[in-house]
Amino acid sequence: MANGAVIEQNTSTLWGGGRQPFGASYGKLMMWFFLLSDALTFSGFLTAMGLYRFKYEETWPIAENVFTHFPFLHGEHPLLFVALMTFILIVSSVTMVMAVNAGHHNDKKGVVLWLGLTIVGGFTFLGSQAWEWYHFIHGDKGAVIAQDNTVYYLTEAGSEGKILSVFELVTGEKKPHGDHSEFTTEQLRNAFAANGSATLRLPGKGDKDGVKILSRKEAENVLASAEVIQGASLRANEYGNVLFADFFYFVTGFHGTHVFSGVVLNIIIFINVLMGTYERRGHYEMVEKVGLYWHFVDLVWVFVFTFFYLV
Amino acid sequence: MANHNLPSEHHESPEGTGWIWKVFWILLIVTTVEVALGIIKPEILMGKFLGTSVLNIIFIVLTLLKAFYIVAEFMHLKFERSNLIWTIALPVLILIPYLAFILLTEGGYMNVLMAQ
């Protein structure tokens, strides 16, 4: 039968390769599967952070007390810098879509322009993250760490828990912008004894009653065996619970690694575009594949932004 | 030999670049709203809801909205074949809420065990 021959021919081409059951090329499909597994990895990190954050609500710092710096601006500007970082990443996502779009039209000049801008955006974001880490590592106001590793902020009675910097308590002056002078526990204890209204508070927002402020007596008891802490390492940090800084370093670091490898991929593809590799191949799908990765990096940042800085 | 450099099939996608800028403005406006809410923290939104504040629920909803636009438009998933869309979307839509639910509702047991 003539029909039998046709069916046979169809099945042989069906299994003979060259067909796309998902309507996507091999490379694009594998990129999607990789991103799927990566999404699950990141959600594992973020939900783990959520778990500990609920457990240690009293000592878990509030983001607006931690991330307060903005380049060239004095005073406290919570959220502004990280909003700028989000903006940079969104813009670089847009330039990437433009590059993919230009690729669809085999417009080499367009791909070069937009992919180049995406690389610039990537480096700008990485620079911003380095800046953010620098300030996180050096710390800002300083705090007190008790024997049991509980971190207390300095505050004054009647100021509703407004944080007093170690600098201000010891020197009696406003802390200058970008100052990183270090103080000893001895200096802190003396200054604390001299300032009758100074006391301690927990970093978290506490329960219904709000911030938990210690009485002067409790604060003196804590301070008798506590030490001054400035800056943040993986072992201890001035912001609050040790896990806060650990998750900060790990999650933003892991995301930063993704951004970095994304920039590297973009540069490799950029060089290939310049050399005309995809022009000779007849299509620019490679730009689309690294584009998927780049958008994913933006996607992850959207969630990191929410769960580290907003919620 | 299968040729791995074969391009994907062509899928309907909007002409021009207008849609890209539309998505850009949506993402920018949503982010601006989030930052404004995060700085002001309106007292009216601080009430408890589903174990957290109404404000936090708003943040999460807005974040999911942004995620939708990035994945559907920028990553072009909206224009892929439906079997690809569901292959990618279903595991994420099932596993991540499940993981979050288990850790946030049942995670307390871990602390009980660790205390022993």
Side-chain angles (χ1 to χ4, degrees):
Chain A
M1 259 170 58
N3 275 347
V6 171
I7 289 165
E8 201 172 55
Q9 198 182 9
N10 274 349
T11 45
S12 74
T13 51
L14 186 65
W15 298 102
R19 284 173 61 95
Q20 301 176 344
F22 286 95
S25 69
Y26 170 81
K28 196 167 146 183
L29 196 60
M30 291 307 124
M31 180 56 89
W32 268 113
F33 287 153
F34 165 67
L35 296 181
L36 172 62
S37 70
D38 223 15
L40 296 176
T41 307
F42 271 106
S43 60
F45 294 153
L46 288 175
T47 45
M49 185 187 75
L51 173 70
Y52 283 108
R53 190 187 163 139
F54 271 109
K55 177 170 159 57
Y56 299 115
E57 216 165 9
E58 279 202 322
T59 55
W60 203 269
I62 302 163
E64 65 186 54
N65 290 332
V66 179
F67 308 101
T68 57
H69 297 284
F70 197 89
F72 311 116
L73 283 187
H74 293 242
E76 310 222 328
H77 307 279
L79 274 180
L80 269 196
F81 187 64
V82 72
L84 176 71
M85 285 168 75
T86 308
F87 177 73
I88 292 166
L89 218 47
I90 289 176
V91 170
S92 83
S93 237
V94 171
T95 56
M96 185 47 115
V97 189
M98 297 297 268
V100 172
N101 204 49
H104 281 295
H105 299 101
N106 287 323
D107 166 16
K108 184 177 164 181
K109 270 191 185 150
V111 178
V112 169
L113 169 72
W114 293 110
L115 194 56
L117 287 175
T118 309
I119 293 167
V120 172
F123 275 121
T124 315
F125 181 85
L126 284 171
S128 310
Q129 203 164 34
W131 191 89
E132 176 100 333
W133 272 48
Y134 172 83
H135 283 275
F136 190 84
I137 291 167
H138 281 274
D140 181 20
K141 302 191 179 75
V144 167
I145 185 161
Q147 287 282 299
D148 65 351
N149 286 332
T150 308
V151 169
Y152 296 91
Y153 296 158
L154 292 160
T155 182
E156 278 182 302
S159 70
E160 287 174 2
K162 190 178 180 301
I163 305 163
L164 187 65
S165 64
V166 176
F167 186 97
E168 212 173 332
L169 181 74
V170 174
T171 65
E173 288 163 33
K174 267 232 158 318
K175 182 173 178 289
H177 189 64
D179 174 85
H180 290 306
S181 39
E182 291 183 16
F183 298 96
T184 64
T185 305
E186 201 59 38
Q187 281 175 303
L188 177 77
R189 283 201 191 123
N190 291 339
F192 192 88
N195 183 342
S197 61
T199 183
L200 299 175
R201 58 160 280 198
L202 282 173
K205 41 186 164 217
D207 48 17
K208 299 188 281 295
D209 310 324
V211 177
K212 193 180 169 199
I213 303 171
L214 275 60
S215 71
R216 175 77 184 179
K217 191 112 194 84
E218 288 170 317
E220 278 168 356
N221 280 342
V222 168
L223 210 57
S225 61
E227 282 172 20
V228 65
I229 179 160
Q230 290 176 286
S233 69
L234 287 170
R235 283 172 186 278
N237 68 79
E238 65 166 53
Y239 307 109
N241 196 298
V242 60
L243 287 173
F244 170 75
D246 292 355
F247 272 111
F248 176 81
Y249 286 132
F250 195 71
V251 177
T252 63
F254 199 62
H255 175 262
T257 312
H258 277 73
V259 179
F260 180 72
S261 38
V263 171
V264 171
L265 287 177
N266 287 350
I267 291 174
I268 293 170
I269 301 310
F270 185 74
I271 294 168
N272 276 343
V273 173
L274 286 181
M275 294 197 312
T277 308
Y278 308 121
E279 206 167 33
R280 264 174 271 129
R281 193 176 286 173
H283 61 86
Y284 281 81
E285 200 181 75
M286 196 54 92
V287 178
E288 207 173 322
K289 287 179 224 167
V290 293
L292 282 178
Y293 184 75
W294 190 253
H295 295 311
F296 177 75
V297 163
D298 183 24
L299 177 69
V300 170
W301 180 256
V302 163
F303 284 91
V304 171
F305 173 63
T306 300
F307 291 109
F308 263 97
Y309 299 93
L310 288 178
V311 169
Chain B
M1 276 274 293
N3 181 1
H4 289 317
N5 287 330
L6 273 182
S8 299
E9 289 174 2
H10 185 71
H11 302 286
E12 282 304 309
S13 62
E15 281 302 308
T17 55
W19 64 277
I20 300 175
W21 294 106
K22 193 190 110 193
V23 176
F24 167 72
W25 286 113
I26 291 171
L27 293 177
L28 189 64
I29 290 167
V30 172
T31 306
T32 312
V33 169
E34 282 182 331
V35 172
L37 284 176
I39 290 174
I40 301 167
K41 294 208 177 207
E43 203 54 47
I44 199 167
L45 298 176
M46 298 315 278
K48 287 277 170 189
F49 183 67
L50 290 175
T52 181
S53 68
V54 178
L55 185 63
N56 284 351
I57 302 284
I58 292 176
F59 283 147
I60 290 168
V61 170
L62 290 178
T63 302
L64 292 176
L65 183 74
K66 282 202 283 185
F68 170 79
Y69 275 104
I70 292 172
V71 176
E73 303 277 357
F74 281 180
M75 297 173 90
H76 226 253
L77 192 60
K78 200 169 103 181
F79 306 103
E80 300 293 346
R81 241 187 233 179
S82 68
N83 58 354
L84 178 56
I85 294 177
W86 290 110
T87 303
I88 301 301
L90 270 186
V92 171
L93 293 178
I94 294 169
L95 292 175
I96 296 178
Y98 177 66
L99 176 67
F101 168 76
I102 286 295
L103 280 188
L104 296 180
T105 60
E106 305 292 307
Y109 288 123
M110 193 184 75
N111 303 323
V112 176
L113 289 173
M114 272 160 56
Q116 278 175 0

